[in-house]
């Protein structure tokens, strides 16, 4: 142990009667063993102070502190003031102080009274691991989940801790895959909303088990129940451009005090307090910032009450699609034309010369998600035909189409040029299918036919 460990002892021995009392206890076989503990705790971040306390009984002249594996002399200090505790202070925690400690005192006859062990751990020596829940951090009440603590460091084990009451911890053996990923798994069964499920994990090496990594980011399991599901919407629409500001809103006609947002495949579960913009309505806004690839995906939200750990049933899913993520601009055209009578059959054709598995058709201002069709290769193009039969005035509006790849269906191409579809109220004679109008060729899309 390095000499910077300051040993301060606080106990009373100035009265001869106290030693007599110790001897009497020893003769009666009731001389207590000392107890040892650390403040503010036994798991200490690198560089932080910690105090080791040893408590015995009144009349003890000296306490001794020993760290397993270190050579004598043990640390001791003469008494300073009345009391029954020994105080050993470490002003700056490092891995040199990590280890197993015992404290001692001598009885009047020289008999050694030893405490149980104290494991003093230093954290922050290695990079933090990642903590995730499989398949998702959202768990139905009574359901099962597996916690995964992982790292690209070749750690030998992990310590998983559950915060709150009751506190629990588990030591997990590391498993390595051929690519160098190291992980520890813990199945957790029957997750209920009876208390908060908040976890962290640390990693360590076998030869230094009291030297831990920095803690992982916290992971909270969200336990969903059966109370009324809220609604999730976005004012920007389901298709957003890269760099655009995006805010999702979760709302309900139930007076929820808080809301949580989940994204499929992600572990973060941001929470917001509920507000009541009007009587009988509660809601929360989730500003997600400028749109990037990581914001593309499927979202759900949940409502909860402050006096309960249980959350509501999930909202219906909301897909957020990010446009302009690869350099492709499909073309959009219409048959039989951009102005049609109510009751006619209309087909919107989305085409691209590039290999694309899927095409999407969106209508400006529509709350519904875009229509999605698998592409077909025909006439030197990849294309999809979106049929509207028969059209009504509800089909009036501006349309755009996008292409996407199956590897990430939430990332889209640039939008096609807008196509205006006007549906008149009166039925008119159908055009010949051989007569069509090209609305947007951009030099790449041949017309369906000519009038």
């Amino acid at each position: 142990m390095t000499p910077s460990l300051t040993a301060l002892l606080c106990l009373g021995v100035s009265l001869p009667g106290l030693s007599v009392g110790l001897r009497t206890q020893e003769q009666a076989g009731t001389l207590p063993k000392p107890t040892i503990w650390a403040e503010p705790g036994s798991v200490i971040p690198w560089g932080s102070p910690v105090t080791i306390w040893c408590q015995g009984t009144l009349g003890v002249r000296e306490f001794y502190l020993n760290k397993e594996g270190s050579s004598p002399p043990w640390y001791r200090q003469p008494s300073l003031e009345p009391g029954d505790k020994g105080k050993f202070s470490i002003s700056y925690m490092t891995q040199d102080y990590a280890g197993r400690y015992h404290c001692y005192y001598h009885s009047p006859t020289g008999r050694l009274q030893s405490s149980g062990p104290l494991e003093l751990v230093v954290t922050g020596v290695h990079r933090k691991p990642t903590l995730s829940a499989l398949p998702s951090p959202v768990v139905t009440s009574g359901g099962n989940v597996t916690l995964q603590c992982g790292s690209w460091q070749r750690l030998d084990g992990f310590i998983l801790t559950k915060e709150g009451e009751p506190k629990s911890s588990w030591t997990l053996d590391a498993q390595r895959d051929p690519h160098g990923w190291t992980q520890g798994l813990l199945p957790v069964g029957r997750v209920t909303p009876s208390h908060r499920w908040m976890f962290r994990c640390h990693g360590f090496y076998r030869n230094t088990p009291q030297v831990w990594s920095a803690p992982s980011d916290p992971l909270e399991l969200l336990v969903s129940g059966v109370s009324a599901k809220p609604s999730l919407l976005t004012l920007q629409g389901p298709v957003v451009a890269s760099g655009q500001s995006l805010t999702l809103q979760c709302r309900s006609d139930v007076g929820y005090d808080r809301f949580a947002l989940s994204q499929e495949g992600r572990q973060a579960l941001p929470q917001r307090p509920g507000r009541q913009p009007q009587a009988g309505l509660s809601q929360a806004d989730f500003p997600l910032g400028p749109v990037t690839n990581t914001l593309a995906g499927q979202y759900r939200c949940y409502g909860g009450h402050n006096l309960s750990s249980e959350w509501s049933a999930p909202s219906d899913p909301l897909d957020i699609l990010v446009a302009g993520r690869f350099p492709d601009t499909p073309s959009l055209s219409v048959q039989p034309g951009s102005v049609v009578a109510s009751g006619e059959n209309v087909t919107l054709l989305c085409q691209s010369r590039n290999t694309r598995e899927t095409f999407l058709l969106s209508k400006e201002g529509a709350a519904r998600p875009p229509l999605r069709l698998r592409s077909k290769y025909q006439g030197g193009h990849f294309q999809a035909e979106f049929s509207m039969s028969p059209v009504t005035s509800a089909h009036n509006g501006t349309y755009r189409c996008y292409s996407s790849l199956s590897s990430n269906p939430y990332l889209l191409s640039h939008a096609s040029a807008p196509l205006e579809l006007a549906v008149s109220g009166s039925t008119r004679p159908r055009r010949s299918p051989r007569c069509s109008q090209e609305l947007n060729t951009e030099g790449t899309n041949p017309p369906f036919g000519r009038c």
Side-chain angles (χ1 to χ4, degrees):
M1 189 179 301
T2 61
S4 60
L5 173 62
T6 303
L8 299 176
L9 183 62
C10 304
L11 65 155
V13 296
S14 57
L15 297 178
L18 294 177
S19 295
V20 173
L22 277 178
R23 187 173 292 109
T24 302
Q25 287 180 316
E26 184 177 14
Q27 292 171 349
T30 59
L31 194 62
K33 290 185 177 182
T35 57
I36 186 171
W37 72 95
E39 291 181 354
S42 60
V43 180
I44 305 298
W46 178 284
S48 298
V50 60
T51 299
I52 300 176
W53 290 95
C54 190
Q55 183 166 14
T57 185
L58 288 174
V60 176
R61 290 185 176 276
E62 292 176 319
F63 282 102
Y64 303 81
L65 183 68
N66 185 45
K67 177 173 177 278
E68 288 186 9
S70 64
S71 58
W74 297 339
Y75 283 85
R76 63 187 179 89
Q77 194 78 10
S79 60
L80 300 178
E81 59 184 71
D84 62 349
K85 295 179 183 177
K87 178 182 179 183
F88 302 86
S89 298
I90 300 173
S91 59
Y92 192 93
M93 185 67 182
T94 69
Q95 63 189 61
D96 293 330
Y97 297 120
R100 178 175 291 187
Y101 289 82
H102 299 263
C103 73
Y104 309 80
Y105 70 82
H106 287 288
S107 72
T109 62
R111 183 180 174 185
L112 202 62
Q113 297 292 328
S114 174
S115 72
L118 168 69
E119 297 275 355
L120 193 61
V121 172
V122 61
T123 67
V125 180
H126 319 302
R127 295 190 303 274
K128 68 180 181 182
T130 60
L131 180 59
S132 55
L134 306 175
S136 168
V138 180
V139 187
T140 303
S141 182
N144 301 327
V145 68
T146 296
L147 300 180
Q148 179 196 67
C149 193
S151 174
W152 288 107
Q153 303 173 83
R154 297 186 65 85
L155 300 168
D156 295 312
F158 299 93
I159 303 293
L160 181 67
T161 57
K162 177 181 173 297
E163 302 177 2
E165 296 298 334
K167 292 184 178 180
S168 303
S169 65
W170 301 264
T171 300
L172 310 177
D173 291 332
Q175 307 169 17
R176 295 190 179 94
D177 68 16
H179 305 289
W181 175 254
T182 302
Q183 67 179 21
L185 300 174
L186 177 70
V188 179
R190 290 197 56 79
V191 178
T192 66
S194 57
H195 54 273
R196 193 177 184 190
W197 297 78
M198 178 72 76
F199 297 88
R200 291 180 190 268
C201 75
H202 299 78
F204 65 90
Y205 292 99
R206 186 174 294 107
N207 59 343
T208 53
Q210 291 93 17
V211 179
W212 294 0
S213 71
S216 68
D217 292 333
L219 172 68
E220 181 176 8
L221 300 182
L222 189 152
V223 186
S224 66
V226 296
S227 58
K229 65 182 181 182
S231 300
L232 183 61
L233 54 97
T234 171
L235 301 179
Q236 292 86 351
V239 180
V240 293
S242 181
Q244 179 182 349
S245 180
L246 176 63
T247 297
L248 303 186
Q249 184 179 93
C250 191
R251 60 169 60 175
S252 175
D253 55 7
V254 176
Y256 289 123
D257 302 310
R258 54 187 179 141
F259 291 90
L261 182 70
S262 71
Q263 182 185 2
E264 186 179 37
R266 301 289 295 274
Q267 296 293 318
L269 293 169
Q271 298 183 21
R272 295 279 180 178
R275 56 187 179 88
Q276 294 185 335
Q278 62 189 59
L281 181 66
S282 60
Q283 67 181 51
D285 292 337
F286 291 87
L288 301 183
V291 171
T292 62
N293 285 11
T294 59
L295 293 184
Q298 189 172 90
Y299 292 80
R300 288 179 171 87
C301 74
Y302 304 78
H305 298 285
N306 288 335
L307 299 180
S308 172
S309 298
E310 186 173 30
W311 294 81
S312 71
S315 69
D316 292 333
L318 172 66
D319 291 345
I320 295 299
L321 309 170
V322 179
R325 298 315 302 168
F326 50 89
D328 178 32
T329 303
S331 61
L332 183 61
S333 54
V334 61
Q335 183 182 0
S338 60
V339 180
V340 294
S342 177
E344 285 202 63
N345 297 330
V346 172
T347 298
L348 299 180
L349 179 69
C350 191
Q351 290 184 315
S352 174
R353 291 189 181 275
N354 298 310
T355 303
R356 296 293 178 253
E357 289 96 352
T358 308
F359 288 97
L360 298 90
L361 180 70
S362 71
K363 182 184 178 186
E364 192 173 283
R368 292 183 177 181
L371 300 175
R372 187 185 291 263
L373 289 177
R374 292 192 61 82
S375 70
K376 297 179 180 179
Y377 185 73
Q378 185 173 338
H381 294 83
F382 288 88
Q383 65 182 40
E385 297 182 357
F386 296 88
S387 299
M388 302 178 183
S389 303
V391 294
T392 67
S393 58
H395 290 96
N396 281 313
T398 301
Y399 293 83
R400 292 177 174 85
C401 79
Y402 306 82
S403 63
S404 72
L405 300 172
S406 58
S407 57
N408 194 329
Y410 301 103
L411 297 181
L412 310 184
S413 69
H414 294 284
S416 69
L419 185 151
E420 297 283 346
L421 181 64
V423 181
S424 62
S426 58
T427 304
R428 63 180 182 176
R430 292 180 54 84
R431 297 181 181 179
S432 166
R434 294 172 299 178
C435 181
S436 63
Q437 180 179 0
E438 179 190 8
L439 294 181
N440 175 33
T441 63
E442 298 188 348
T444 63
N445 185 21
F448 291 116
R450 300 188 182 278
C451 297

